[in-house]
Amino acid sequence: MCTSFPRRLTLAFASFSFVSVALATTVPYTESFTADAANWREGTGAANAAWSAAGGADGGGFVSSTYNFVGDVPGNTPIFLRGHDAYGSSGLAFVGDWLADGVTEFSAYVRHNAPVPLNYFVRFAKPSNFPAAIGVEFVPVMPNVWTRIDIAIYDGNPEFVNFETSDFNTIFSGIGKLQLGVNVPGELAGADSPYTFDFDLISIVPEPAAGLAIPALAMFAVRRRR
């Protein structure tokens, strides 16, 4: 992983809005994209992510975005999926005080068709889009297979590589935006080819992984063990 990742990531985000968090988070909650994109948007935030009715991690719906790395250098941190309060993503189920509402783990199933393994990150942001906590999945995701990434929500988790001049309690006491992307490896930097990034079963739970047990996924996804 590029050692400059936290610094670069802090500079990579636009699309600001100033919406106060006054809602209770829905816990537990899983966005399975059963009927549509649930107002989750692609990386630029200009339009909803592409939705497919079948073929997701559980066999059902999922969302996708495409990205071309032609303008990137190693260590860039493009975002491919945005769930924002301003968009009404998932009916605002993820918006609120994660600490008071007992959120202890975030997870999502991801898939990509890039030719190399990729490290995913999640940016957990305040409604104003700054500051945010940057959580990195340190285990690279292999191409062309549904894989679960997860970030445990607790102060001191080493997966949080940056708090953008703030701190854990300040950020997670009022979450308004979720943004998922990857750290650009040297092999893809400048590559002039579009790749597809798929997302499904985006979840928050009130207790560790037991709350996410979905036996049927064994047929469709790879569960990586640390």
Side-chain angles (χ1 to χ4, degrees):
M1 182 174 297
C2 179
T3 56
S4 61
F5 180 52
R7 180 181 63 82
R8 292 180 182 273
L9 189 57
T10 305
L11 303 176
F13 307 99
S15 183
F16 291 82
S17 65
F18 297 89
V19 180
S20 62
V21 173
L23 300 175
T25 315
T26 303
V27 188
Y29 187 84
T30 298
E31 180 53 70
S32 55
F33 302 107
T34 301
D36 53 31
N39 293 322
W40 286 71
R41 296 195 182 184
E42 45 76 48
T44 68
N48 279 353
W51 177 71
S52 299
D58 60 353
F62 67 98
V63 294
S64 304
S65 63
T66 59
Y67 189 79
N68 190 318
F69 292 92
V70 66
D72 283 300
V73 297
N76 277 4
T77 51
I79 291 171
F80 304 139
L81 187 68
R82 295 176 182 266
H84 286 195
D85 49 358
Y87 308 152
S89 305
S90 296
L92 303 181
F94 295 96
V95 175
D97 185 337
W98 284 26
L99 302 182
D101 296 334
V103 178
T104 60
E105 187 173 63
F106 171 92
S107 68
Y109 280 83
V110 300
R111 183 176 64 182
H112 68 87
N113 64 357
V116 296
L118 296 174
N119 287 99
Y120 279 73
F121 68 84
V122 183
R123 186 172 184 267
F124 305 89
K126 302 288 284 185
S128 62
N129 203 39
F130 183 87
I134 315 302
V136 177
E137 173 55 82
F138 292 128
V139 180
V141 173
M142 302 300 291
N144 301 309
V145 59
W146 283 109
T147 304
R148 197 183 99 163
I149 62 171
D150 55 86
I151 306 291
I153 309 301
Y154 69 91
D155 196 6
N157 181 359
E159 292 175 308
F160 290 119
V161 298
N162 196 339
F163 290 106
E164 299 182 355
T165 74
S166 187
D167 59 78
F168 177 87
N169 288 335
T170 297
I171 293 167
F172 283 99
S173 63
I175 294 294
K177 293 173 170 56
L178 299 174
Q179 301 157 351
L180 292 84
V182 303
N183 182 39
V184 177
E187 299 93 326
L188 289 183
D192 189 6
S193 179
Y195 296 104
T196 301
F197 296 86
D198 303 325
F199 300 88
D200 195 12
L201 301 177
I202 300 173
S203 301
I204 49 177
V205 295
E207 56 186 42
L212 285 176
I214 307 175
L217 289 180
M219 297 176 60
F220 304 102
V222 172
R223 175 67 187 276
R224 290 166 298 108
R225 296 183 182 274
R226 288 187 173 88

